[in-house]
Amino acid sequence: MIPELGQIALLLALAAALLQSLPPLLGALRGRPDWMALARPAAGLQSAAVIIAFALLTASFVRNDFSVLYVAQNSNSALPLVYRIAGVWGGHEGSLLMWLLMLCLWTLAVARFSRGLPEVFITRVLAVMGLISAGFLLFMLLTSNPFERLLPAAFDGRDLNPLLQDPGMVGHPPTLYMGYVGFSVAFAFAVSALIGGELDATWARWTRPWTTAAWIFLTLGIAMGSLWAYYELGWGGWWFWDPVENASFMPWLAGTALIHSLAVTEKRNGFRAWTVLLAILAFSLSLMGTFLVRSGVLSSVHAFATDPRRGLFILAFLVLVIGSSLTLFAWRAAKVGLGQRFAVVSRESTLLANNLLLVVTTGAVLLGTLYPLFLDALGLGKISVGPPYFDQIFALLMTPLVVLMGLGPLMRWKGDTVPALAQRLRWAALASVLATAASTVSAGLFSPWAVIGQALAWWILWTVGADLAAWRGQFARIPRATLGMWLAHLGVAAFIAGVTVVKSAERETDVKMRPGDTTTLAGWQFRLDRIGPVPGPNYEAMRAELTATRDGHAPVHLAPEKRIYRVQTNPMTEAAIDPGLTRDLYVSLGEPLPDGAWTFRVQMKPLVDWIWGGCVLMALGGLLAATDRRYRRR
Amino acid sequence: MMKKYLLLIPLSLFLLLAAFLGRGLGLDPREVPSPLIGKPAPAFDAPSLDDPAQHISPAQLKGRVWILNVYASWCVACQDEHPVLTEWARLHPGTPLIGLDYKDERPAAQTWLGRLGNPYTRSVFDADGRIGVDWGVYGVPETFVIDKTGVIRLKHIGPLTPEVLRTRIEPLLQRLALGA
């Protein structure tokens, strides 16, 4: 009964979504307030129906209802409750339902917190979001129904992929989707502005906090995914430039560009058409990411079931949404206009350069991700473009961006002079050179990229310091948004420091050990105390217990495992990590050898946690900026 | 004021992209004619992955029919290919299967093979990808079949599948083994 109710809820949601979009859109065009008035109640109805559908699918998981195909494919009666709930988004159909749930939450938030906006504008926003919703609902109902029955019911489920049985599965996908889908708000605002043909600083002020909010979620979501990969995949990497990672990273890059261009639109009424284009781009890339992940056109460790019908549907939807919004852009952007002029040396210029660099980086990531597909489409075969390409391009493009990150905030709007700028920057520049020299020598990291990385991190730190110093005597008057910017930029500095140091100073060794054996790495001594089998709820594990010691440190206990999950029978490496502010100790258990010894991989990763700490700082900075006084409800 | 046609650029780029995506939906890996087919295999003398002191070169394999499989630990498609290759190597121990570890890092590749199993008779370590360039490697994975006289007879781009092995590689190996 529950699955049928879920099915009905989805159909109801589709009807409500159409009601939320078509009549109000027409009403907004023709000035019919009675049609427009449908948007809010229909949005509420649609959201309620989707929330109910989601709850019903969750109930089917909790109750182990293996007569539902999707549950049978992604759960098992021995699966712990928390993973039965997380299993809801463990596969294709449920992921879509969660996508939709997030869209509804954003829609509700927009409907609730937009009372100050002109009614016709907000009606168009809700209508656009309703159209996107309707498209996804149709997609689910036609090709990916999560409530499809399996008759006769399976005796037990096939279990959730062991890779996904991790606390990361509980937080990472919802946060990531919240960010992905959040860009739909900026998109709907942009389309609404294009239809209305009016775009000004007020528009930017409405759009900014929404965009920043989505960006915060996306930042945290990506960071959580990376942290998860780091400890769960078991070999110590934290970013693989996998197509699915790229699919979430491209909207982040475009969204970051959008945040900065919105600043110009709000403060200086500039970059108007460009901001609208970026808003369309950020959400388009989110949709494209969904396409890439769901259609199976690219092979990836994240790939779910592939079905050409699904791919075709999403592609058609993509063409409809992105194509029509870009057509609208081509037709109406001239009306929106470029905005204020500015001098070559000005804060606008640095932000423009920031935007161009971010967009080019997005393009480079897109190219690298789709290059195998392009070759395939041209009949040149299937291949994989690897981290060597991405690492190089990314580092090359990010270096000037970070230099600008230091310059921009110290520049004046509209026009500035080079001597005045040099005056403001000289101490920061000098301090950066000295600090880089000191850290290079003391840490012994002399490779070119290591020196560049350190210099960039110090540069951000000292320019933020210079900016702060310019406020001396009136610290209490620093706007919250400015504090947020500093914090986010310092997050980038921490991130760069982490990446640079871990890339150039990590140590690792592969050893074979029996109980009682020891190995030494980077001043730490690791002793294998014992190794033996340990049963788990739905897996069998082999657990090794090691003690790491070093002069002047308390001994550290580490217990890496190798697990075999009973249903899907693939082995999983559960690394043991001792995290720390300055370094992580990372031990993973390898394979048994014929002579009774086991192989181990022991790693020492300095500053690796700064990578995610940096992301958290960026998100906190975003939070401060989004809650600045001028965005609070008027 | 802005030129109207400039505003059409985003739309045009997107439509081009969409066309590629549409094409991509209905595609399978396909054979590419390589200019190297029928030519002697490019020579190299490179360290082995397991032991840098040992060197591997095609000359050592003269007189035997052998396979060169290009892989890397960072390559996602290689993970799909790996079980196929492992199973095949188990059933065909007589054919040398040489791995070319392309643009990789030694420990990463060793861990990768340790984790997934090592189907290769030996692996050549091509850290900077120079051998790959000589062999005309587009991307990873790729597979070459080399005959007794050291001439490349077949190149396959993309992951090997059981079907490709059965229909293309094995018949060719049999013909080459007979000296055809």
Side-chain angles (χ1 to χ4, degrees), chain A residues 193-241:
Chain A
L194 282 176
I195 297 175
E198 45 196 59
L199 191 145
D200 52 18
T202 330
W203 175 86
R205 204 171 61 228
W206 294 330
T207 315
R208 261 185 111 178
W210 292 104
T211 311
T212 311
W215 181 88
I216 295 168
F217 281 109
L218 195 57
T219 307
L220 289 176
I222 294 174
M224 283 160 97
S226 151
L227 182 61
W228 183 11
Y230 171 72
Y231 69 74
E232 179 70 24
L233 292 181
W235 60 90
W238 49 275
W239 188 259
F240 301 95
W241 296 108

Side-chain angles (χ1 to χ4, degrees), chain A residues 62-77:
Chain A
V62 172
R63 292 157 39 107
N64 289 321
D65 185 353
F66 299 124
S67 72
V68 178
L69 181 63
Y70 181 68
V71 178
Q73 282 170 340
N74 291 287
S75 186
N76 182 277
S77 51

